Amino acid sequence: MRLGLALGYWGRGPSADHVPLAEEAERLGYATVWTAESWGSDAFTPLTWIAARTSRIGLGTAVAQMAARSPTATAMHALTLDHLSGGRVLLGLGLSGPQVVEGWYGRPFPASPLTATREYVDVVRQVLRREAPVELDGRFHTHPYRGPDATGLGRALKSITHPLRPELPVLLGAEGPKNVAQTVRIADGWLPLYWAPGRPEVYGDAVRDLPSGFRVAPLARVHVCDDVSEGLLPVKAMLGFYIGGMGHAARNFHADLMARMGYEEEARRVQRLFLAGRSAEAVQAVPDAFADEISLVGPRERIAERLELWRKGPVTDLLALAPDRRTLRVLAELNS
């Protein structure tokens, strides 16, 4: 099982620790470092900064949001950074949800998310393979554009720049069983947001028979500490925000996943509290048991024991949201 360092996205501003943590992860033998985006910092610029300060570690987006860019623009970002870094990019993509897509990016959330994702990946692959001008007569993505307001002057184009790696890995963030099944068919890897190593069946039958070389790379909070309950607080805070705030009461993919994992009543309670403006209570309402099974928190011995569960399943890459150098070092030692 390979190790990755997940840095997420910025809060109020850039963290002074991100580049030093990435440098330390590379020194410790971590395979990858990953950034994210929501409605603030973008995913690609910090990776470029990290690329200039490192030489070996892979550079992943977990995830770059599809609504933020056309698929051709995303492919341009990926192929540019892949050249500058010497072939280290892993392109992780995610559709996000209606709240973010419509509220932040000012775009309609697709009526058929699976189709929109499939078309997006198709265009990205066409750009990277550079076998012919990009053409797609899709429901959500059309190249050249032929809508009712088109000039009729657009023509199919092929990237001026020759990509360094035509088969640059594309991974997808997916939560629902149908989305996961499609991810296995069209992508090179899957980025689960919550992974419970003891019950992969939550994600459907697709995870039982994966193609050779397919990456399963969940994000998980990892923290070496003495007090498990205290160590779980950041996990609960993250869950409270995602389950309560990252979506609408009637449509929240994160809450739906928590419900499928056996915590439906608790998920709806977290939603109600968060939407009522009682965010602190929402965080406390997240069950410790749920936060614990999707993370690696506690003393070294406890993490070592629980790490075996992650190794036994289909996980190929553990992307650690690790807050300090000690945790990075201990995880590297335990995984060696």
Side-chain angles (χ1 to χ4, degrees), residues 221 223 225-236 295 297-298:
R221 173 82 172 185
H223 189 194
C225 59
D226 294 328
D227 190 324
V228 174
S229 296
E230 184 177 339
L232 288 175
L233 286 177
V235 185
K236 294 177 64 169
S295 59
V297 171

Side-chain angles (χ1 to χ4, degrees), residues 160 184 210 216 275 278 283 317 323:
I160 297 170
V184 173
L210 297 172
V216 177
L275 294 173
R278 298 157 63 183
V283 169
D317 299 73

Side-chain angles (χ1 to χ4, degrees), residues 60-320:
T61 56
V63 295
Q65 298 199 356
M66 297 183 207
R69 308 162 190 85
S70 69
T72 49
T74 294
M76 289 167 65
H77 275 293
L79 72 85
T80 301
L81 182 53
D82 206 43
H83 269 291
L84 293 175
S85 66
R88 291 192 273 155
V89 171
L90 298 97
L91 180 59
L93 302 171
L95 194 59
S96 193
Q99 184 192 45
V100 176
V101 172
E102 297 183 0
W104 180 248
Y105 294 113
R107 299 170 59 85
F109 187 77
S112 177
L114 293 179
T115 302
T117 299
R118 187 166 59 250
E119 291 177 1
Y120 198 103
V121 172
D122 185 345
V123 173
V124 168
R125 298 277 203 200
Q126 288 191 51
V127 174
L128 294 174
R129 288 172 178 162
R130 201 179 176 273
E131 295 169 344
V134 176
E135 291 191 85
L136 180 66
D137 186 16
R139 177 178 174 185
F140 300 100
H141 298 285
T142 305
H143 295 264
Y145 179 68
R146 302 183 184 89
D149 54 346
T151 63
L153 302 177
R155 64 188 180 93
L157 298 171
K158 184 164 63 172
S159 173
I160 297 170
T161 304
H162 290 237
L164 182 64
R165 293 183 298 159
E167 299 302 326
L168 184 152
V170 176
L171 298 86
L172 295 175
E175 295 181 25
K178 291 182 180 179
N179 200 353
V180 174
Q182 174 173 270
T183 295
V184 173
R185 291 194 304 272
I186 70 172
D188 303 299
W190 170 40
L191 296 160
L193 182 59
Y194 313 136
W195 177 260
R199 40 183 176 160
E201 71 278 357
V202 169
Y203 299 96
D205 294 337
V207 299
R208 296 177 184 170
D209 187 21
L210 297 172
S212 176
F214 187 85
R215 291 178 180 254
V216 177
L219 287 84
R221 173 82 172 185
V222 184
H223 189 194
V224 179
C225 59
D226 294 328
D227 190 324
V228 174
S229 296
E230 184 177 339
L232 288 175
L233 286 177
V235 185
K236 294 177 64 169
M238 177 271 292
L239 289 169
F241 176 64
Y242 272 72
I243 293 162
M246 291 280 275
H248 188 271
R251 193 170 190 183
N252 183 312
F253 302 132
H254 308 301
D256 292 345
L257 176 57
M258 182 178 172
R260 287 200 305 275
M261 295 177 79
Y263 298 93
E264 181 168 9
E265 183 178 340
E266 293 88 343
R268 304 313 170 197
R269 182 163 185 261
V270 170
Q271 277 189 296
R272 289 194 300 270
L273 288 168
F274 200 98
L275 294 173
R278 298 157 63 183
S279 57
E281 292 178 65
V283 169
Q284 291 300 321
V286 175
D288 280 11
F290 178 53
D292 195 28
E293 69 175 307
I294 63 169
S295 59
L296 288 161
V297 171
R300 178 189 177 111
E301 297 75 19
R302 186 176 194 266
I303 291 177
E305 180 181 346
R306 295 167 65 83
L307 192 61
E308 292 305 313
L309 293 174
W310 294 74
R311 288 200 187 97
K312 288 178 181 177
V315 173
T316 60
D317 299 73
L318 172 60
L319 311 187

